[in-house]
Amino acid sequence: MNLKTIAAVLLLIIVATACDDNNNSRENLTDEQIIEQGFMEADLDGDGVIDPGETAAQIQNDFDRIDQTGDGVITADDHFGPEYMGEPVTKEQRAELYCDANDDETLTQTEYMDCINETVIDIMDADQNGSITLEEVKAFKNNQEL
Ligand SMILES: [Ca+2]
Ligand SMILES: [Ca+2]
Ligand SMILES: [Ca+2]
């Protein structure tokens, strides 16, 4: 997985909350506004930083969203819907398997959380103080677009 893919995963997480509330609300927003909106919603206590607890809540939300069968693990069964047109999902289509540490094609919450923390959160947390600021998110996104 290259950094661009990691950035895509990150933006999914940050933006997911904003999208869940109102599917139409994104259309008139710039990327920057989407990030700001997602950040504000991820910042549960509104103190201007996303602390590790809030990060964990976001990752948990994202995991639950992917886990469509609700059995607590992400498997091929969680990939269904019109985008697959009735075809079984292939291993290559399952981007989340990047995080499958033990390579059993089943993604546990622990695997997902460790993976996002290591590949996204640690990189985004530029000053390595454990909390993410809006400036760090924006800087991270800008770096990915270069
Ligand atoms: Ca906070
Ligand atoms: Ca599942
Ligand atoms: Ca696994």
Side-chain angles (χ1 to χ4, degrees), residues 43-47 49-51 54:
D43 179 18
L44 297 173
D45 61 7
D47 67 349
V49 295
I50 301 177
D51 63 40
E54 289 165 340

Side-chain angles (χ1 to χ4, degrees), residues 62-84:
D62 197 49
F63 186 93
D64 290 345
R65 192 173 51 79
I66 304 171
D67 178 20
Q68 300 211 36
T69 60
D71 62 353
V73 290
I74 297 171
T75 62
D77 289 346
D78 294 307
H79 293 269
F80 58 83
E83 69 269 34
Y84 297 104

Side-chain angles (χ1 to χ4, degrees), residues 68-141:
Q68 300 211 36
T69 60
D71 62 353
V73 290
I74 297 171
T75 62
D77 289 346
D78 294 307
H79 293 269
F80 58 83
E83 69 269 34
Y84 297 104
M85 296 187 297
E87 298 287 328
V89 66
T90 64
K91 205 176 168 185
E92 288 70 33
Q93 286 173 301
R94 298 182 57 197
E96 81 277 9
L97 288 180
Y98 170 76
C99 292
D100 181 20
N102 66 355
D103 210 20
D104 64 354
E105 297 187 28
T106 298
L107 195 66
T108 64
Q109 293 187 23
T110 306
E111 283 175 331
Y112 191 65
M113 199 154 287
D114 288 351
C115 175
I116 298 296
N117 273 319
E118 282 168 21
T119 58
V120 178
I121 306 301
D122 283 357
I123 296 171
M124 197 162 50
D125 181 17
D127 62 5
Q128 295 287 302
N129 72 348
S131 294
I132 309 293
T133 64
L134 183 57
E135 285 65 36
E136 284 173 338
V137 176
K138 286 181 178 174
F140 181 85
K141 179 175 180 296

